[in-house]
Amino acid sequence: MRPLERFQDWFRGCLPNTLRGKLLLVSLVVVVLPISLTGYLLEREGRQALVREKTEKLFGLTRLLDAHLGPGFDGGFDELAAGTGIAATGRDTAIRALSERLTPFTDLVAGANPGVGVGYYNKALDAIITYGPSRDYSATVGTSIPPDHPGWRVLESGRQAVESGRQVRGFILNAMLPIIRDGGVIGYIWANELSDDVERQAAAMDRAVLTVSIAGILLGLLLTHLLSRGVGRDIRRIIDGLLRMRSDLGHAILPPPGEVGEIAVEVNGMARALLDARSLTENILHSIADGVIAVDRAGQVTAVNPAAAAMVGVTAAEVIGKPYDSLFKPDGQFASPLLDTLKTGQPHVGVTLDFPGTRQTLHLNVSSSLLRNSRSEAIGAVVVLKDLTEQRRLRTQIMRADRLAALGELVAGLAHEVRNPLTSIRGFMQFLETSDDVKEWQRYAPLIVRQVDSLNRLVTELLEFGRPRPPTIRPVQLNDLIREVSLLAGRKSNARITLDLAADLPQVEADGEALKQVVLNLIINAIQATPDTGIIAISTAAPDGREAVIAVSDDGEGIAPENVDKVFDPFFSTKPNGTGLGLAMAHRIVDAHHGTIAIASTPGAGTVVTLRIPFLHSPVAET
């Protein structure tokens, strides 16, 4: 037998025979070793990173202290390095002078970095010049460093160094930077931090890594132990039961003892819950008044509830398995939301359309969305149909009643508006009937003509209101239209008109002349409600990209709350000479463009009129 084969046999003999033993062994290799190695690497790298961060910080402070001795420093540090200052002033005096100059700055640096000590050492004076914070280490000023102090190596080599160990302050991490002037070392600067602080942070990190590693190892072994118990004995029973449940959710798995038995119980519970949910879903679909139709990815009908079958006029047996488009008449103008969702994946919510059924056309509110499986994969689509045919009929009756009521108000208003000028004409003619004075005729004839013109203007506006011409739709740039109309209207008043027009406003499909009439009417109304010193602001915007918004606001007298709902009624006007048809006409023009007009007013503060005009005049095809 070859050595390799003998080794393989020996290795197989060392492996446990039970599944539980094998799981524990695998757990030992897969969990313990990686966690231990990862913890060790994290601890080592973390400690090194901590020391590097501390070292970089300390050297940064030494460079800051060195920069303080630059050209702007007039303290004699360089002069003392040459030895000339000591002879002139004496060593103690020179140390005291330099300390007084440098101590405030070292205290400032030390105060900004708690736990850090900084200072200067002068080689010529062989003394510590300053040691901040001075409140703790001022006693060291003037002392020399010991012969074995690492600072001597910095002075001799001229290279920066970092040392860890006992020094003047105690056990510290000390960064030392030589002070080099004219090619020579005249001293060094240090910044240090107590090793206790560094070790305390490193120890905290070590404890955290060790705790997590031990917890991970213990948890892995514990979970392996719990999961391995009895798995081999009971796993086949569970698998067999699950295979049978694929075709029969009513089948219950006989639960074995132990944890796997609990799994079997839960599986049985989930099977029952799924069966109940399926029954509940079927009951809901059969009970709701809205129609529901589901299709697969090929567009074949897979489910239809009774409400949908009744709407379309078919039975479920007739349409299951057939293409969805067989439920409606072939019509190139009809785009099905369900088929569009199936094709593009985009849902449709609350789409109102006319559904061309094979037996009748239905007015429906439709919502469609994709159907997905447990892996979020699209397996088809579903549509919910709400029949609005009866609502449309009732709405038509209500609109007819509203029109009759409006017609009555219109007739009453017309009678009132016509009666006033006719009364004036009749009075003038009765007076002139008995007068032979030509001057009297010349005096009252213009008054009669004005009353006739008033009647003619009223009849003209009434004809325009009653028989509006179809809009001539062309691309219109609203900003240019507003500039033109505001320039024209601005000549009629001293009120200031300000424009805030969106620079990127797209063109709209509209009747430009009709919209000019609307905007001009709104500006004139604002001018009449605003004093000569007032401001009329006009703005445009496209907040949602589907419609243009025009706002006309003024700071005039406003509209009384009880009159706001009446401003669009024909013949309603608060102006002495108004006919009350201007805003009614504006409302009709905006309606013809499938837009909206709204008024918000505060008495004494002003009024804001907001127009919303769709960019596309024709209604967008329902999809």
Side-chain angles (χ1 to χ4, degrees), residues 26-43 206 208-224:
V26 170
S27 174
L28 183 65
V29 176
V30 174
V31 177
V32 176
L33 292 181
I35 291 180
S36 300
L37 181 60
T38 302
Y40 169 75
L41 294 177
L42 285 176
E43 187 277 334
D206 294 345
V209 172
L210 182 61
T211 301
V212 172
S213 300
I214 294 175
I217 292 171
L218 294 177
L219 180 61
L221 294 175
L222 178 62
L223 290 177
T224 304

Side-chain angles (χ1 to χ4, degrees), residues 267-416:
V267 169
N268 292 334
M270 287 189 294
R272 287 194 300 271
L274 184 59
L275 186 62
D276 294 341
R278 177 184 294 178
S279 300
L280 178 62
T281 302
E282 293 175 352
N283 290 335
I284 292 175
L285 289 177
H286 280 75
S287 301
I288 61 176
D290 293 340
V292 179
I293 301 176
V295 299
D296 58 18
R297 297 192 63 180
Q300 306 290 328
V301 178
T302 58
V304 56
N305 72 337
M311 289 182 193
V312 182
V314 296
T315 64
E318 292 174 347
V319 297
I320 296 295
K322 293 185 178 180
Y324 175 73
D325 55 14
S326 65
L327 301 181
F328 50 84
K329 297 177 182 178
D331 187 350
Q333 296 181 353
F334 175 71
S336 168
L338 177 65
L339 296 181
D340 181 75
T341 296
L342 193 63
K343 178 180 179 181
T344 65
Q346 296 296 322
H348 298 277
V349 179
V351 178
T352 302
L353 49 77
D354 289 327
F355 182 85
T358 56
R359 300 183 182 180
Q360 61 177 335
T361 298
L362 303 173
H363 187 62
L364 304 177
N365 181 276
V366 178
S367 297
S368 63
S369 61
L370 285 177
L371 288 175
R372 300 182 182 275
N373 60 15
S374 59
R375 297 182 296 276
S376 297
E377 298 171 347
I379 59 173
V382 63
V383 64
V384 179
L385 311 174
K386 186 177 183 65
D387 192 353
L388 303 179
T389 306
E390 183 63 19
Q391 293 184 15
R392 171 186 276 186
R393 185 184 66 80
L394 294 176
R395 186 166 57 251
T396 301
Q397 292 181 354
I398 293 173
M399 292 175 62
R400 184 180 298 113
D402 288 344
R403 285 197 297 268
L404 291 175
L407 179 61
E409 294 180 2
L410 180 64
V411 172
L414 178 62
H416 176 75

Side-chain angles (χ1 to χ4, degrees), residues 105-118 132-134:
F105 188 71
T106 55
D107 282 348
L108 177 64
V109 174
N113 299 273
V116 173
V118 296
S134 59

